[in-house]
Amino acid sequence: MARKKKHRSIVQEFDDYFGTGTLEDWQRLCRDVGLDGYYGSITQCRKALRTVHVNIRDLLDAVRQGQSPQRFANTAQLAAYTVNTGRFYPRWRIKEMGPVRALMRRIS
């Protein structure tokens, strides 16, 4: 039960951070993960985010502290970090076209 509650709070925290999913929300996410440049559409933001490897829970912590999250060079490094730290985002809570989908990577 405690694990479900923890997952629910992480999901809610990301939803609160991201907002309603406007272009401005997507652009803020791009900036917060350290992407430079201008992205004039949600599609451009999604494509740009595919190149970024960050732990979603670390992203939320970094935003809360006014910092940039740690970025990894590739999926393998992100996977190793995530497994070692246990800082997973609940896969079953991913919305089909939402921002979490753009940041998710296959870990196993």
Side-chain angles (χ1 to χ4, degrees):
M1 183 67 174
R3 187 176 185 172
K4 277 189 175 185
K5 192 173 190 176
K6 185 177 182 180
H7 286 316
R8 198 172 304 126
S9 68
I10 294 163
V11 172
Q12 185 61 52
E13 186 176 350
F14 189 87
D15 288 347
D16 291 346
Y17 155 75
F18 187 70
T20 59
T22 65
L23 175 58
E24 291 78 22
D25 293 330
W26 282 90
Q27 289 169 331
R28 184 183 69 249
L29 176 59
C30 287
R31 280 190 310 275
D32 288 347
V33 298
L35 289 173
D36 294 327
Y38 175 76
Y39 302 97
S41 70
I42 291 173
T43 301
Q44 288 177 342
C45 291
R46 262 195 203 106
K47 287 180 182 178
L49 288 167
R50 284 187 212 145
T51 67
V52 175
H53 307 289
V54 296
N55 181 281
I56 295 169
R57 291 178 60 184
D58 285 356
L59 167 64
L60 294 171
D61 290 346
V63 167
R64 201 177 317 107
Q65 297 168 4
Q67 300 174 349
S68 295
Q70 178 180 359
R71 287 177 57 175
F72 298 89
N74 55 49
T75 303
Q77 288 179 358
L78 172 61
Y81 170 83
T82 301
V83 169
N84 287 337
T85 61
R87 294 181 63 85
F88 292 92
Y89 187 91
R91 187 168 204 71
W92 62 90
R93 298 299 303 262
I94 301 169
K95 295 178 180 138
E96 187 61 33
M97 295 302 290
V100 171
R101 169 65 87 199
L103 291 173
M104 288 297 287
R105 304 293 179 266
R106 184 163 295 283
I107 298 296
S108 56

